[in-house]
Amino acid sequence: MLVDISPDFGYVILVASSTYFLMNWLEMRTLLARSEYGVPYPKMYSDDDRFNCVQRAHQNTLENYPQFLILLIFGGLTFPKLSAAAGMVWIVGRVFYALGYYSGDPKKRMRGAFAYIGLLALLVFSIITALKMLGFVNFV
């Protein structure tokens, strides 16, 4: 069975492409923090927790990025507009997460916890896509 990709999948591609800007923003903030707090390469952490908060915001996003992309793409095959919207929720949530973490108070990273709503929606969309392809559901 071939997958019929809707023209609306373009929204999914736009959301996936927009993560380029998120990732580069996080990277630049980490590079600036290295300079500001005097943390040379290849050190990953510092005795200064303010740098560690900036670095962890970037690193944690990198840790979650592969699963986000896979779920965005797979979910987008069946639900392109909903997946694109859920993807944007994840991206905006990651910005709030990072800004909260940058405050120096790690608890403030929870301001971006709503990103998981987008990720959970993408998981559901991906599972439904798989079940549809396997012939277990045909209501979509």
Side-chain angles (χ1 to χ4, degrees):
M1 172 183 138
L2 294 176
V3 175
D4 184 25
I5 297 178
S6 163
D8 288 340
F9 193 78
Y11 293 114
V12 173
I13 295 170
L14 285 174
V15 170
S17 298
S18 72
T19 61
Y20 172 85
F21 301 102
L22 171 67
M23 295 310 210
N24 278 284
W25 174 68
L26 292 166
E27 178 184 11
M28 290 307 299
R29 292 295 302 254
T30 304
L31 289 172
L32 292 172
R34 277 189 180 283
S35 175
E36 182 178 349
Y37 301 116
V39 180
Y41 284 107
K43 286 183 74 176
M44 289 289 290
Y45 295 99
S46 167
D47 292 333
D48 189 323
D49 285 342
R50 293 170 299 172
F51 170 78
N52 294 339
C53 286
V54 174
Q55 189 277 341
R56 279 302 303 150
H58 183 212
Q59 186 63 39
N60 184 266
T61 301
L62 289 172
E63 292 163 1
N64 285 275
Y65 190 50
Q67 67 185 3
F68 163 74
L69 284 178
I70 290 295
L71 295 175
L72 175 67
I73 292 167
F74 289 164
L77 291 172
T78 302
F79 303 99
K81 288 181 180 179
L82 289 173
S83 292
M88 285 307 299
V89 168
W90 185 83
I91 291 169
V92 172
R94 293 313 293 191
V95 170
F96 277 83
Y97 172 87
L99 291 173
Y101 226 153
Y102 294 165
S103 72
D105 179 0
K107 291 180 183 175
K108 290 183 180 176
R109 73 188 189 280
M110 297 309 292
R111 294 176 179 169
F114 65 89
Y116 288 103
I117 295 169
L119 196 62
L120 181 60
L122 292 173
L123 175 62
V124 170
F125 301 154
S126 294
I127 291 170
I128 292 171
T129 297
L131 294 174
K132 179 183 173 191
M133 292 176 83
L134 293 169
F136 292 119
V137 296
N138 54 11
F139 60 87
V140 185

